[in-house]
């Protein structure tokens, strides 16, 4: 079994956990290594659920913070093992998982074992299956199996945020917009009705749609409505009788699921629309006392999170949550995924400063 030295630097720990491949469905070796590394510390109670590892303090503090990060990655594409690279004079660690989100997890692991007397109780969560279907998500499973672990006054998710604080997140909705026609031989196309051609107004409405910018608790979230997939066709000589345009709507956290669905149905009035998936976003939660203290301690200017993240799971449980981790989110899942070494160290300093009051 691979081993982890959590007395090493956060950069060295990042390198070590990235070099333990953990593509979704294959997290067990890394989960085993994390469990072994954090066990045996008297200030931590360690709990395992599948390949999710929880380590928490029980010091009797009046407030509790949950700090979480996922340990799985998208598939590797010739970008492991990690290597050190320099770009325009800046040092980076290159490789799968460096951005999304093992650098953040490395910082958390180091602080979890070092901070034996934090001013707040802390529940650390390192979970599996974030990069796949939501039904498999380790954080969601943990909430179902151990709801008692989700008691907290504030939560931080180590999603890559360029070392800045990103509050809340947009919601996401997927819908199928369908058109129908009549099959016919393509040599006699006038006998049929082409369902793919009927999808042209759907694409036109998408092209004409102007994304809204909506302010929520001082942060401006940009929405988006886009076609992400088109399916249709029978054969090379058949007029198609069915077509589906899959649409993804990213909506501000001020909207609930019903409001988001109304927007999509209004845009596609007159078409057959099926909502196939929806996950509401998370409001920034920056008015919470611990959130204000955290932002002040790390010296950040909060920004909105445009993508959906697991902060929404905490928000749904009434726990205000933010995203805070090293790495450029534009490089998440990229074949050139890489994280600045200075950013890993900066995030460690920020969290350490807040959690120690120094």
């Amino acid at each position: 079994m691979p081993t982890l030295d959590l007395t090493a630097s956060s950069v060295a720990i990042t390198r070590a956990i990235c070099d333990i491949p953990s593509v979704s469905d294959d997290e067990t070796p890394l989960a085993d290594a994390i469990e072994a590394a954090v066990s045996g510390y008297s200030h931590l109670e360690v709990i395992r659920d599948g390949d999710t590892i929880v380590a928490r303090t029980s010091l009797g503090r009046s407030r509790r913070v949950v700090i979480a990060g996922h340990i799985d990655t998208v598939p590797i594409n010739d970008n492991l093992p990690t290597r050190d690279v320099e770009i325009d004079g800046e040092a980076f660690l290159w490789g799968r998982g460096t951005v999304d989100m093992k650098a953040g997890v490395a910082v958390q692991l180091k602080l979890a074992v070092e901070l034996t007397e934090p001013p707040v109780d802390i529940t650390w969560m390192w979970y599996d299956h974030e990069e796949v279907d939501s039904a498999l998500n380790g954080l969601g499973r943990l909430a179902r199996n151990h709801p008692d672990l989700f008691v907290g006054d504030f939560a931080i998710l180590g999603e890559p945020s360029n070392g800045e604080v990103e509050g809340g997140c947009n919601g996401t909705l997927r819908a199928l917009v369908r058109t129908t026609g009549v099959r016919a031989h393509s040599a006699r196309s006038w006998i049929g009705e082409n369902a793919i051609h009927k999808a042209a107004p759907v694409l036109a409405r998408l092209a004409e749609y102007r994304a809204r910018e909506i302010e929520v608790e001082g942060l401006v979230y940009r929405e988006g409505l886009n076609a992400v997939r088109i399916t249709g066709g029978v054969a090379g000589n058949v007029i198609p009788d069915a077509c589906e345009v899959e649409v993804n709507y990213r909506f501000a956290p001020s909207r609930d699921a019903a409001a988001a669905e109304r927007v999509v149905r209004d845009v596609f009035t007159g078409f057959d629309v099926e909502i196939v998936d929806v996950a509401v976003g998370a409001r920034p939660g920056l008015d919470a006392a611990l959130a204000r203290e955290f932002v002040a301690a790390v010296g950040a200017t909060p920004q909105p999170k445009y993508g959906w993240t697991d902060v929404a799971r905490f928000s749904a449980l009434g726990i205000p949550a933010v995203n805070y981790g090293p790495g450029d989110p534009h490089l998440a899942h990229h074949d050139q995924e890489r994280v600045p070494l200075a950013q890993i160290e900066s995030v460690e300093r920020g969290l350490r400063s807040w959690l120690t009051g120094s």
Side-chain angles (χ1 to χ4, degrees):
M1 183 181 79
T3 59
L4 297 175
D5 176 8
L6 300 187
T7 66
S9 70
S10 52
V11 169
I13 298 170
T14 302
R15 183 179 293 107
I17 63 175
C18 286
D19 285 339
I20 303 173
S22 58
V23 175
S24 303
D25 285 337
D26 192 25
E27 298 99 325
T28 300
L30 179 54
D32 289 345
I34 289 173
E35 182 181 26
V38 298
S39 294
Y41 286 88
S42 60
H43 68 290
L44 294 175
E45 176 191 7
V46 178
I47 302 155
R48 182 163 183 164
D49 183 278
D51 284 331
T52 291
I53 310 299
V54 177
R56 64 177 179 174
T57 66
S58 297
L59 303 170
R61 307 300 195 229
S62 61
R63 299 184 295 180
R64 179 174 290 275
V65 174
V66 181
I67 303 179
H70 68 80
I71 64 172
D72 62 322
T73 73
V74 296
I76 298 163
N77 189 24
D78 295 327
N79 50 2
L80 280 185
T82 54
R83 67 173 188 261
D84 293 295
V85 299
E86 184 174 308
I87 301 174
D88 296 329
E90 186 173 12
F92 290 82
L93 181 65
W94 174 97
R96 176 62 78 226
T98 52
V99 170
D100 193 10
M101 53 182 287
K102 290 184 175 180
V105 168
V107 168
Q108 295 169 9
L109 287 167
K110 182 172 180 62
L111 294 179
V113 300
E114 288 187 0
L115 303 183
T116 60
E117 291 287 339
V120 294
D121 270 312
I122 308 173
T123 302
W124 305 91
M125 297 177 174
W126 303 292
Y127 62 99
D128 58 289
H129 285 91
E130 191 271 349
E131 300 289 7
V132 289
D133 191 281
S134 178
L136 301 174
N137 185 288
L139 199 63
R141 185 188 66 246
L142 186 69
R144 294 189 295 272
N145 294 344
H146 300 279
D148 56 301
L149 297 178
F150 286 79
V151 174
D153 302 286
F154 180 53
I156 299 171
L157 187 66
E159 283 284 346
S161 62
N162 271 319
E164 300 294 334
V165 175
E166 293 183 332
C169 68
N170 271 335
T172 181
L173 177 150
R174 290 187 301 111
L176 297 178
V177 184
R178 296 189 176 96
T179 59
T180 58
V182 177
R183 288 192 192 188
H185 196 295
S186 61
R188 301 172 183 82
S189 59
W190 58 90
I191 296 175
E193 295 179 13
N194 195 310
I196 292 178
H197 291 183
K198 288 184 176 182
V202 174
L203 301 180
R205 293 184 195 184
L206 286 167
E208 293 165 2
Y209 182 83
R210 293 295 173 262
R212 293 187 61 189
E213 294 186 351
I214 299 177
E215 183 174 331
V216 182
E217 299 174 13
L219 300 184
V220 178
Y221 293 83
R222 180 166 182 165
E223 298 193 323
L225 184 66
N226 293 280
V228 293
R229 185 182 292 111
I230 298 179
T231 58
V234 180
N237 59 352
V238 177
I239 299 301
D241 61 343
C243 181
E244 287 184 348
V245 180
E246 184 175 341
V247 174
N248 182 218
Y249 177 38
R250 298 288 174 150
F251 56 94
S254 54
R255 300 189 195 272
D256 60 16
E261 180 175 344
R262 284 195 298 273
V263 169
V264 172
R265 291 194 182 278
D266 286 347
V267 169
F268 299 109
T269 298
F271 287 94
D272 175 16
V273 177
E274 179 187 0
I275 308 300
V276 294
D277 183 52
V278 60
V280 297
R283 300 182 76 89
L286 294 168
D287 54 347
L290 276 170
R292 292 196 302 269
E293 293 170 18
F294 169 67
V295 169
V298 301
T301 300
Q303 303 294 325
K305 187 70 169 180
Y306 295 129
W308 188 92
T309 75
D310 280 320
V311 295
R313 297 183 187 276
F314 292 109
S315 180
L317 294 169
I319 304 172
V322 300
N323 305 276
Y324 179 64
D328 182 348
H330 291 99
L331 291 175
H333 304 183
H334 198 287
D335 287 345
Q336 295 301 314
E337 189 173 352
R338 60 189 182 271
V339 63
L341 303 189
Q343 219 169 77
I344 300 174
E345 295 163 346
S346 174
V347 168
E348 181 190 339
R349 285 195 302 273
L351 276 176
R352 185 185 298 276
S353 171
W354 176 59
L355 291 172
T356 61
S358 61

